[in-house]
Amino acid sequence: MSMKICAVIPSHNHYKSLAQVIMALRGHGLPVLIVDDGSASPAREAIAACHDPAHGIEVVRLDKNSGKGGAVAHGLRLAAERGFTHAVQVDADGQHDLTAIDRLVEAARKNPEALVSGLPVYDSTMPLSRRFSRWLTHVWVWVETLSTAIRDSMCGFRVYPVAQTLGVLDTESVGKRMDFDTEIMVRLAWRGAPVIHVPVAVTYPEGNTSNFHLWRDNWLITKMHTRLVFGMLARLPSVWRNRPRKEGAPAAHWASMGERGAQFGLWFVLTFYRMFGRRACVLVLWPIVTYFFLTSGARRDYSLAYLRRIHTLKGLAAPGWRDSHAHFMSFAKKALDAVAAWSAPNNAPPIDIETSERVRELARDGGALLVVSHLGNAELCRAHLAGLVGRDVYALMHTRHARFYNNLIRSIRPDAADSVIEVSDLDPATMISLSERIEKGDWLAIAGDRIPLSGDQHTSLVPFLGDPAPFSHGPYILAALLGCPVVLMFCLKQGDRHVAIFEEFADHVVLPRGERLAAITDYASRYARRLEHHCLNQPLQWYNFYNFWNKAPPHN
C-alpha cells in the first residue's frame, strides 16, 4: 500500500500565524485538515475563513474545546476516513521551522511504521521554566520506556502512522490535552513502533499566546506519568522487548551522555535540591536510578559480583537485586552530596576527622601524597580538603576524564577546577611541577584503586576480597620520585554525617634497585588490605562498577 500523507493542524484560538503555516504545508504538496478546537472570536472566524476544499484545505470545528490531544485525535480519524496513511501534525502558532517538513516526510517514507518527531533546537526565546519542565518529562519517559532513545516527547511537529496511532487511541486511554503528545509516543513505543528524531528549529514568536494552563496541565501531566509508570510495570516484559533503540546505535549508559545534557541534568538536580531539600531530591532520583539499574546489565552484574564477595567473607546470604539496587542508590546519593558540597559549601553535609597525631605532624610539616579511592565520597571531602588538612590540595586526574568532569563542576563553582592537575603521563615537565608543589608544602591526591590508562602492565595482582586484583603502581612510583610521605584517606558516610579517615601509610616510599617490582607489589598489597577493611565495614560505598578482578561476573 502506497503512502498517502496529509497535514493535521489543531488550533484553539491560534490564528495569527495560521496562514503562513498553511502556505508552507501546501507548498510541499500536503492536503491540510484544520481542527478548530472550540476557538472564540476573532479566531473562530479567521480559522473558518481558511476553509478551501478546492485547494486542499479543509476546516472542521469542534464546538466544545476538547484539548490539543482531542483535536489531534479527531484530525487523525478524519485523515483515516479520507484514505491517508500518514499525517503530519503541525501546531498552529508558528513555533516550528516548517522548512524541515521535507526531512520529516522523507524519514517517514523510509520508515513507514515509525513515529517521526521533530527534535527541538531552541533559541534564546524559550522560557527557562519550559526548559526545566521538558527535561523532567524526558527523564520520566526514559523510565517509562526503559530507554534513552526518545530524546524529546513533547514536540508538536511530527508524522504519525495513522492506522497504528488509531489502534492505540481505540484500545487505550490517552490524555486529551497537553499530556497527549508524550503519552501517545510512549504507548506507540510500547507496541514496538520505532521513534525517529529530525532536528527542527523552534522559536517562541513575540506575542504568542500559550494554551498551557499551569496547574491544570501540570496535574494532568503528573497523572499521565503515574499512569505510564504503573502501565510500564504491568507490561514490563513487552516494554523491555520493544524498548526504543537509538538511531544507528545501541542504548547508552549514563556515563556516555553528552556534556550539554549532563550539565543541564546537573543544573536540574541542584535546582531541585535547593528548592525542596535533599530528601525530596533523593525521591526524584529513585526512578532515574531504577531505570539505569534495569538497563545497565553489565554494571549490575559487576555490582552483584562484588557484593557476593563481601557477603561470602562476612558469612551472609547471597545478595539479590535489592542489594544491588541499594548499591546504585548509594552511588546516586554520594554524587548528590558531592555536587551539593561544591555548589553550596555552607550547606554541605558535616565532615568529622579521624586521624592520628603522626598524620597531624605530616600536615604541619609539609607536602604529602594523599592516596584516595572509589570507596566513600572523596569528592565531597575534596570540596573542603584544604581546610581539613590546612594545606592546598590538588587532585591528579587523567586528562580524558578530568576535562569533562571539570566542565561540569566549573558550571556550578568556577574556581573548583583550579585544584585539579590534569595528567596523562608523568613526563619530566609534569614531575618538575609536582615536585615544586610538594616543596611548597602542597598535598597531591591520587586514586589507588583504578587501573591506569596504560593498562595492566603497570599493575600488580594482590589479594583483595578473596581473589587477586590489579592495583596500580602509580601512587608508589610517584611517591618515591617525589620523596614525600604517603597518607591514605577514606571519606565514609556514617548515619547523617561523613567521616574523613586519614591513615599514615609511609614516611618514605623506598624502591630498592633489583627489588623494585617486589617492593611496589608489597605497597599495593598493604593498600589493598586497608581498602578491603573499609569495604567490609561499608560495602555499599565502593563505587567501581566495572570488572575490577578481570573475571567474568558469575550469574545467579
Side-chain angles (χ1 to χ4, degrees):
M1 181 178 179
S2 61
M3 289 182 63
K4 188 177 179 183
I5 306 177
C6 69
V8 171
I9 307 176
S11 181
H12 176 64
N13 291 331
H14 282 132
Y15 66 97
K16 295 181 180 178
S17 300
L18 187 56
Q20 294 94 316
V21 172
I22 294 171
M23 186 180 302
L25 294 169
R26 291 299 297 133
H28 288 80
L30 294 178
V32 177
L33 299 174
I34 304 170
V35 181
D36 178 359
D37 189 24
S39 298
S41 296
R44 174 177 178 171
E45 291 76 20
I47 295 171
C50 296
H51 186 66
D52 188 1
H55 293 91
I57 306 166
E58 182 179 355
V59 176
V60 295
R61 176 174 169 79
L62 304 178
D63 290 329
K64 184 179 179 181
N65 175 250
S66 63
K68 178 183 179 180
V72 172
H74 190 82
L76 292 175
R77 295 188 193 284
L78 289 176
E81 290 175 6
R82 285 150 179 73
F84 294 105
T85 62
H86 290 73
V88 181
Q89 174 191 331
V90 185
D91 288 346
D93 56 7
Q95 290 185 16
H96 301 110
D97 176 13
L98 298 181
T99 61
I101 290 173
D102 283 341
R103 287 183 283 126
L104 267 74
V105 169
E106 180 62 23
R109 291 190 184 280
K110 291 180 179 178
N111 304 274
E113 303 296 316
L115 171 58
V116 179
S117 178
L119 179 64
V121 179
Y122 293 104
D123 62 14
S124 59
T125 63
M126 184 186 189
L128 188 60
S129 60
R130 293 285 183 90
R131 293 181 187 269
F132 181 90
S133 61
R134 292 182 77 91
W135 193 87
L136 185 58
T137 282
H138 298 341
V139 171
W140 279 113
V141 168
W142 297 341
V143 173
E144 292 151 6
T145 60
L146 304 180
S147 168
T148 57
I150 294 181
R151 299 162 65 189
D152 187 284
S153 64
M154 303 178 74
C155 183
F157 190 18
R158 53 180 59 171
V159 183
Y160 285 106
V162 173
Q164 292 92 319
T165 306
L166 291 180
V168 174
L169 294 175
D170 290 339
T171 58
E172 301 185 39
S173 177
V174 179
K176 291 182 171 57
R177 295 191 178 274
M178 294 298 182
D179 46 356
F180 175 82
D181 287 338
T182 295
E183 186 163 11
I184 192 65
M185 181 177 281
V186 168
R187 292 187 180 276
L188 279 167
W190 283 355
R191 295 187 175 207
V195 177
I196 296 174
H197 294 286
V198 174
V200 174
V202 179
T203 187
Y204 280 73
E206 187 175 351
N208 181 58
T209 301
S210 174
N211 288 325
F212 188 87
H213 296 272
L214 181 63
W215 297 110
R216 183 195 69 187
D217 287 318
N218 275 324
W219 174 239
L220 289 173
I221 289 170
T222 299
K223 291 199 297 181
M224 171 198 70
H225 286 306
T226 303
R227 211 163 48 236
L228 291 175
V229 167
F230 281 103
M232 176 270 292
L233 293 174
R235 62 189 85 188
L236 189 59
S238 64
V239 172
W240 176 257
R241 185 171 58 251
N242 292 328
R243 68 193 187 279
R245 300 291 186 181
K246 284 190 175 179
E247 299 144 43
H253 181 263
W254 56 41
S256 64
M257 288 178 62
E259 185 168 335
R260 181 179 176 185
Q263 285 182 338
F264 190 78
L266 184 64
W267 173 87
F268 162 74
V269 170
L270 283 175
T271 301
F272 201 92
Y273 183 93
R274 290 164 181 163
M275 291 174 62
F276 303 107
R278 185 180 185 277
R279 288 186 180 180
C281 203
V282 169
L283 289 175
V284 170
L285 285 174
W286 192 92
I288 302 172
V289 171
T290 300
Y291 160 72
F292 285 116
F293 173 76
L294 291 172
T295 58
S296 301
R299 286 166 176 81
R300 187 176 63 245
D301 287 343
Y302 295 138
S303 166
L304 282 167
Y306 157 71
L307 292 174
R308 286 190 195 103
R309 296 175 182 276
I310 293 288
H311 283 223
T312 298
L313 291 174
K314 298 182 75 169
L316 302 175
W321 279 36
R322 289 185 179 180
D323 300 285
S324 184
H325 185 273
H327 194 196
F328 275 61
M329 275 301 300
S330 177
F331 174 77
K333 294 175 185 177
K334 167 251 187 184
L336 176 63
D337 287 337
V339 169
W342 281 117
S343 64
N346 295 333
N347 296 325
I351 301 177
D352 294 333
I353 303 296
E354 184 179 302
T355 188
S356 65
E357 183 57 36
R358 177 56 185 149
V359 172
R360 290 190 177 92
E361 289 177 5
L362 292 174
R364 289 193 298 266
D365 292 345
L369 184 68
L370 190 67
V371 181
V372 299
S373 70
H374 293 81
L375 175 74
N377 203 338
E379 189 59 29
L380 168 67
C381 212
R382 186 168 80 87
H384 303 279
L385 208 48
L388 293 176
V389 303
R391 298 276 180 174
D392 288 337
V393 181
Y394 294 87
L396 305 183
M397 293 186 181
H398 291 297
T399 302
R400 186 174 65 194
H401 302 108
R403 285 180 180 166
F404 172 74
Y405 178 79
N406 289 336
N407 284 339
L408 294 180
I409 295 299
R410 192 180 288 115
S411 69
I412 58 173
R413 176 92 172 268
D415 64 335
D418 295 342
S419 61
V420 171
I421 299 175
E422 300 181 9
V423 294
S424 293
D425 297 298
L426 294 177
D427 55 36
T430 301
M431 283 304 306
I432 291 172
S433 173
L434 298 181
S435 181
E436 289 174 346
R437 291 188 183 279
I438 291 292
E439 290 175 7
K440 281 173 49 185
D442 297 341
W443 283 30
L444 305 175
I446 187 171
D449 61 344
R450 179 57 59 88
I451 297 173
L453 294 178
S454 53
D456 290 349
Q457 65 267 32
H458 295 297
T459 64
S460 288
L461 288 173
V462 300
F464 179 60
L465 294 175
D467 265 318
F471 279 79
S472 174
H473 294 172
Y476 319 109
I477 294 174
L478 181 60
L481 292 172
L482 295 175
C484 64
V486 178
V487 175
L488 309 185
M489 187 195 77
F490 303 94
C491 183
L492 303 175
K493 186 172 175 60
Q494 298 181 7
D496 294 332
R497 306 181 68 82
H498 285 78
V499 178
I501 303 170
F502 292 88
E503 300 181 357
E504 178 189 1
F505 187 75
D507 279 350
H508 298 284
V509 169
V510 179
L511 305 179
R513 182 172 298 181
E515 300 178 6
R516 185 170 180 268
L517 180 58
I520 292 174
T521 301
D522 182 63
Y523 284 118
S525 181
R526 286 175 50 200
Y527 172 75
R529 286 197 297 271
R530 294 310 300 156
L531 179 63
E532 178 176 300
H533 167 80
H534 290 295
C535 281
L536 289 170
N537 286 335
Q538 299 289 345
L540 295 183
Q541 295 188 43
W542 193 56
Y543 306 117
N544 264 331
F545 290 95
Y546 74 103
N547 195 355
F548 193 78
W549 284 264
N550 286 334
K551 291 186 175 183
H555 292 265
N556 285 326

